[in-house]
Amino acid sequence: MKTARRLAPLTVGLVLVGDLLFAQAPVPLAGAGEGGWSFSASAFAYFLPDAADYGQPTLTADRDRLHLEARYNYENLHTGSLWVGYNVHFGDELAFELTPIFGVAFGDTDGVAPGYKASLTWRRLDLTSESEYLFDFGDSADSFLYTWSELGWSPRDWLRLGLVVQRTKVYQTEFDVQRGFLLGVAYRKASFTTYVFNPDAGKPTVVLGLSLAF
């Protein structure tokens, strides 16, 4: 109760300041560039309690139904992966987007992975999820299910709050599935999100994410 009382003024202050800064700058969706292409770049910094910190960059390119993606340090450290997918979209007010994807991983981990990226949006609520199953060429026992899902609410165009869960093999914690909360702010085509996993643990994991659409 005391914690909630302390956070309430901070939350109200954040909303007021954000409205002053961003009220005249609604956040657009990633649009198609020249030739019908749209691109995005993101970088996530992982701050781990019992392991070395690391970064995880991702690049995407989309044109109509075609989705292309490149990742590094996602399936494993010092491991890259290349992906191709097919975009489908249903609905307007209740919008559903699905992209089945297939990837090849190389580096410290070699393998192939089928997966998907999906989102469901209704008004100011959104549910996003991406998952893959990596078949490890080196040792079948190292094959693994990776997943990242978010449930978000945007009380303002520039502010997003929510919950997040992930399952990864890049680093180990006492939790098989890690869960936590997120706080994101956006301006024009840039967004910055802070994730805190396992907040009830003695040493939570913090992830800072920066995304750009162009």
Side-chain angles (χ1 to χ4, degrees), residues 20-154:
L20 290 174
L21 292 175
F22 305 138
Q24 304 303 318
V27 181
L29 297 176
E34 294 184 5
W37 286 95
S38 61
F39 304 90
S40 73
S42 63
F44 292 82
Y46 285 75
F47 298 93
L48 309 177
D50 298 312
D53 304 333
Y54 71 95
Q56 193 277 301
T58 297
L59 299 174
T60 70
D62 292 87
R63 182 174 184 179
D64 297 325
R65 301 291 187 180
L66 176 65
H67 174 79
L68 302 175
E69 188 166 342
R71 306 172 182 170
Y72 187 69
N73 282 350
Y74 189 96
E75 287 73 27
N76 196 2
L77 295 179
H78 313 298
T79 298
S81 59
L82 298 175
W83 300 81
V84 61
Y86 186 81
N87 298 316
V88 293
H89 174 88
F90 305 97
D92 187 12
E93 181 177 1
L94 179 63
F96 177 65
E97 297 182 0
L98 174 66
T99 305
I101 56 176
F102 183 83
V104 177
F106 49 91
D108 282 4
T109 294
D110 298 314
V112 295
Y116 71 86
K117 300 166 72 76
S119 68
L120 181 65
T121 305
W122 180 70
R123 297 186 178 180
R124 292 187 175 273
L125 296 174
D126 66 87
L127 176 64
T128 62
S129 178
E130 62 179 68
S131 186
E132 67 179 84
Y133 191 88
L134 177 72
F135 293 92
D136 194 307
F137 289 160
D139 187 346
S140 60
D142 289 334
S143 299
F144 195 77
L145 174 68
Y146 296 80
T147 186
W148 178 295
S149 298
E150 300 178 16
L151 176 61
W153 172 56
S154 301

